[in-house]
Amino acid sequence: VFPPFSPLQVWYMDGYYKGRRVLEFRTLSDFVSGQNFVQHLLPQPWAGTGHVVFNGSLYYNKFQSNLVIRYHFRSRSVLGQRSLAGAGFNNTFPYSWGGFSDIDFMVDESGLWAVYASNRNAGNIVLSRLDPQSLEVLRTWDTGYPKRSAGEAFIICGVLYVTNSHLAGAKIYFAYSTNTSSYEYTDIPFHNQYSHISMLDYNPRERALYTWNNGHQVLYNLTLVH
C-alpha cells in the first residue's frame, strides 16, 4: 500500500479468476470484521492472485489474456492497458498450484515488476520492470528457473526470491539478483502453517510478507529471508 492511501488500508479480491469486485477497507480491523468497505467493480475480470496496489492504482492481469490493466481507484477508471509480449496466460505457465497464476505483479523499493513466462524462454521465469504510468517494459531478466516448478515468488530490493512449493515443507529455494544478473540456490525454510499458499507478496512500506494461505491471511516477519 502506497500514498495517497493510508498504510492501514486493505483491498480484497475474492477468487482467482473471472472476478470483478474489489472491496476497499479503511483499516485491517474492518477487513477482519468484514465491515465498512467501499466496493469497486472492475470493467474487465481478473486472472490469478498476483494483483498489486501501487500509488493509487490496481495492477492486474485481465482474464484469458496477457494484458496488464491499470485501474485507478479514485477516478474508478482504467488509466492504461498493455500486452506483455509473449507472456503465457490461462494456466499456460502458472505457479505449481495453478489458479491462472501465469502473471504475478510485485512492488519493491524500486517500483513495479511483473513475473511471468513464455514459450520463447521455455517456460522459465521472466522478471520485467514496468513503468507504472505507461506499463511499458523497461528491462527484462530471464532467470532460468522453471515457473511451473515454483510455488510462489516475491521481490525485495531487486532480488527475486522463489519458493520450491506452495505446500507444507516449502523452502525459499532460489534467488535472482537484477543488480548482478546472477542467481543462487538457497535453503531457507518457509513456514507454511495452513499448507496451501496461493498468494505471496512483499510490502516495502511495512517490510513484511503477505500471504493467502488456505483461506487465511498470514503476515511474515522479514527476518525469514535473511
Side-chain angles (χ1 to χ4, degrees), residues 35-69:
Q35 298 176 339
N36 302 323
F37 60 83
V38 174
Q39 177 176 285
H40 299 268
L41 193 62
L42 303 177
Q44 298 109 335
W46 70 68
T49 59
H51 330 296
V52 68
V53 174
F54 181 52
N55 284 344
S57 294
L58 170 71
Y59 297 84
Y60 72 98
N61 174 213
K62 180 184 176 184
F63 181 59
Q64 292 187 324
S65 79
N66 59 13
L67 285 176
V68 183
I69 305 293

Side-chain angles (χ1 to χ4, degrees), residues 2 52 54 106-113 129-130 132 155 204:
F2 290 82
V52 68
F54 181 52
M106 306 176 181
V107 170
D108 72 351
E109 292 80 0
S110 58
L112 179 66
W113 305 80
R129 177 88 183 273
L130 303 183
I155 191 166

